[in-house]
Amino acid sequence: QVHLVESGGGLVQTGGSLRLSCAASGLTFSSYRMGWFRQAPGKERELVAAIRWSGDNTYYADSVKGRFTISRDNARNTMYLQMNSLKPEDTAVYYCAAAYLEAATYRYWGQGTQVTVSS
């Protein structure tokens, strides 16, 4: 059974930093493209960042470019999202998700972790 478990969320002031982690089990982690999504109240879920299974290709939403960094450690079956210069509009529940190789859709999802940025 596949499990994706996020951690590292919390309350931070504007301009602060947080590092999210996503620990994966039950799948061959190195075969999955991983992504971080977020959903704020009343808004649609959006893809924030993604990293290819090999780690050699990344994607960032325009709203987080230059502030967030996605990375992965295939030996530890873990993905990270370093979030710097946080803004109130980054407040959301952050989810990690896994898509097999180059599949278009993300098959597995975590339960989410709350990030709240106070102004």
Coordinates of all heavy atoms in Angstrom, one line a residue, residues 10-18 38 67-68 83-92 94 114-119:
G10 N 3.3 24.7 9.1 CA 3.1 25.4 10.4 C 2.8 26.9 10.1 O 2.4 27.3 9.0
L11 N 2.9 27.7 11.2 CA 2.6 29.1 11.1 C 3.9 29.9 11.1 O 4.8 29.6 11.9 CB 1.8 29.5 12.3 CG 1.6 31.0 12.5 CD1 0.7 31.5 11.4 CD2 0.9 31.3 13.9
V12 N 4.0 30.8 10.1 CA 5.3 31.6 10.0 C 4.9 33.0 9.6 O 3.8 33.2 9.0 CB 6.2 30.9 8.9 CG1 5.6 30.9 7.5 CG2 7.6 31.6 8.9
Q13 N 5.7 33.9 9.9 CA 5.5 35.3 9.5 C 5.9 35.6 8.1 O 6.7 34.8 7.5 CB 6.2 36.3 10.5 CG 5.7 36.3 11.9 CD 6.4 37.3 12.8 OE1 7.5 37.7 12.5 NE2 5.7 37.8 13.8
T14 N 5.3 36.6 7.5 CA 5.7 37.1 6.2 C 7.2 37.2 6.1 O 7.8 37.8 7.0 CB 5.0 38.4 5.8 OG1 3.6 38.2 5.8 CG2 5.5 38.9 4.5
G15 N 7.8 36.7 5.0 CA 9.2 36.7 4.9 C 10.0 35.5 5.5 O 11.2 35.4 5.2
G16 N 9.3 34.7 6.2 CA 9.9 33.6 6.8 C 10.1 32.4 5.9 O 9.8 32.5 4.7
S17 N 10.6 31.3 6.4 CA 10.9 30.1 5.7 C 10.3 28.9 6.3 O 10.2 28.8 7.6 CB 12.4 29.9 5.5 OG 13.0 31.0 4.8
L18 N 10.0 27.9 5.5 CA 9.6 26.6 6.0 C 10.1 25.5 5.0 O 10.3 25.8 3.8 CB 8.0 26.4 6.0 CG 7.3 27.1 7.2 CD1 5.8 26.9 6.9 CD2 7.7 26.5 8.5
R38 N -1.0 22.8 -3.8 CA -1.6 23.5 -2.7 C -3.0 23.9 -3.0 O -3.4 24.1 -4.2 CB -0.7 24.7 -2.3 CG -0.8 25.9 -3.3 CD 0.2 27.0 -2.9 NE 0.2 28.1 -3.8 CZ 1.1 29.1 -3.7 NH1 2.0 29.2 -2.7 NH2 1.0 30.1 -4.6
R67 N 11.6 31.6 -5.1 CA 11.4 31.6 -3.7 C 11.3 30.1 -3.2 O 11.7 29.9 -2.0 CB 10.0 32.3 -3.3 CG 10.0 33.7 -3.7 CD 8.7 34.4 -3.1 NE 7.5 33.8 -3.7 CZ 6.6 33.3 -2.9 NH1 6.7 33.3 -1.6 NH2 5.4 32.8 -3.4
F68 N 10.8 29.2 -3.9 CA 10.6 27.8 -3.5 C 11.6 27.0 -4.3 O 12.0 27.2 -5.5 CB 9.2 27.3 -3.8 CG 8.1 27.9 -3.0 CD1 8.4 29.0 -2.1 CD2 6.9 27.3 -3.0 CE1 7.3 29.5 -1.4 CE2 5.8 27.8 -2.2 CZ 6.1 28.9 -1.4
M83 N 10.7 26.6 1.2 CA 9.9 27.7 0.9 C 10.5 28.9 1.6 O 10.6 28.9 2.9 CB 8.5 27.5 1.3 CG 7.9 26.3 0.7 SD 6.1 26.1 1.1 CE 6.2 25.9 2.9
N84 N 11.0 29.9 0.9 CA 11.6 31.1 1.4 C 10.8 32.3 1.0 O 9.9 32.2 0.1 CB 13.0 31.3 0.9 CG 14.0 30.1 1.3 OD1 13.8 29.5 2.4 ND2 14.9 29.9 0.5
S85 N 11.0 33.4 1.7 CA 10.3 34.7 1.5 C 8.8 34.4 1.4 O 8.1 34.9 0.4 CB 10.8 35.3 0.2 OG 12.2 35.5 0.2
L86 N 8.3 33.8 2.3 CA 6.9 33.4 2.3 C 6.0 34.6 2.4 O 6.3 35.6 3.1 CB 6.5 32.4 3.4 CG 7.0 31.0 3.1 CD1 7.1 30.2 4.4 CD2 6.1 30.3 2.1
K87 N 4.8 34.5 1.7 CA 3.9 35.6 1.6 C 2.5 35.1 2.1 O 2.2 33.9 2.1 CB 3.7 36.1 0.2 CG 5.0 36.5 -0.5 CD 4.7 36.8 -2.0 CE 6.0 37.2 -2.7 NZ 5.7 37.5 -4.1
P88 N 1.6 36.0 2.6 CA 0.3 35.6 3.1 C -0.4 34.8 2.0 O -1.2 33.8 2.3 CB -0.4 36.9 3.4 CG 0.7 37.8 3.8 CD 1.9 37.4 2.9
E89 N -0.2 35.1 0.7 CA -0.9 34.3 -0.3 C -0.4 32.9 -0.5 O -0.9 32.2 -1.3 CB -0.8 35.1 -1.7 CG 0.5 35.6 -2.1 CD 0.8 37.0 -1.7 OE1 0.5 37.4 -0.5 OE2 1.4 37.7 -2.5
D90 N 0.7 32.6 0.2 CA 1.2 31.2 0.1 C 0.4 30.3 1.1 O 0.6 29.1 1.2 CB 2.7 31.1 0.5 CG 3.5 31.8 -0.6 OD1 3.3 31.6 -1.8 OD2 4.5 32.5 -0.2
T91 N -0.5 30.9 1.9 CA -1.2 30.2 2.9 C -2.2 29.2 2.2 O -2.9 29.5 1.3 CB -2.1 31.1 3.8 OG1 -1.2 31.9 4.5 CG2 -3.0 30.3 4.7
A92 N -2.0 27.9 2.6 CA -2.8 26.8 1.9 C -2.5 25.5 2.6 O -1.5 25.4 3.4 CB -2.5 26.8 0.4
Y94 N -0.8 22.1 1.8 CA 0.1 21.7 0.8 C 0.1 20.1 0.7 O 0.2 19.5 1.8 CB 1.5 22.1 1.1 CG 1.7 23.6 0.7 CD1 1.1 24.6 1.5 CD2 2.5 24.0 -0.4 CE1 1.3 25.9 1.1 CE2 2.7 25.3 -0.7 CZ 2.1 26.3 0.1 OH 2.2 27.6 -0.3
Q114 N -0.8 21.9 6.6 CA -1.2 23.3 6.6 C 0.0 24.2 6.7 O 0.9 24.1 7.6 CB -2.2 23.6 7.7 CG -2.6 25.0 7.8 CD -3.5 25.4 6.7 OE1 -4.5 24.7 6.4 NE2 -3.3 26.6 6.1
V115 N 0.0 25.2 5.8 CA 1.0 26.3 5.9 C 0.2 27.6 6.0 O -0.6 27.9 5.2 CB 1.9 26.3 4.6 CG1 2.8 27.6 4.6 CG2 2.8 25.1 4.5
T116 N 0.5 28.3 7.1 CA -0.1 29.6 7.3 C 0.9 30.7 7.4 O 1.8 30.6 8.3 CB -1.0 29.6 8.6 OG1 -2.0 28.5 8.4 CG2 -1.7 30.9 8.8
V117 N 0.8 31.7 6.6 CA 1.7 32.8 6.6 C 1.0 34.1 7.1 O 0.0 34.5 6.5 CB 2.3 33.1 5.2 CG1 3.4 34.2 5.3 CG2 2.9 31.8 4.7
S118 N 1.4 34.6 8.3 CA 0.8 35.7 8.8 C 1.4 37.0 8.3 O 2.6 37.1 8.1 CB 0.8 35.7 10.4 OG 2.2 35.7 10.8
S119 N 0.5 38.0 8.2 CA 1.0 39.3 7.7 C 1.5 40.2 8.8 O 1.3 39.9 10.0 CB -0.1 40.0 6.9 OG -1.2 40.1 7.6

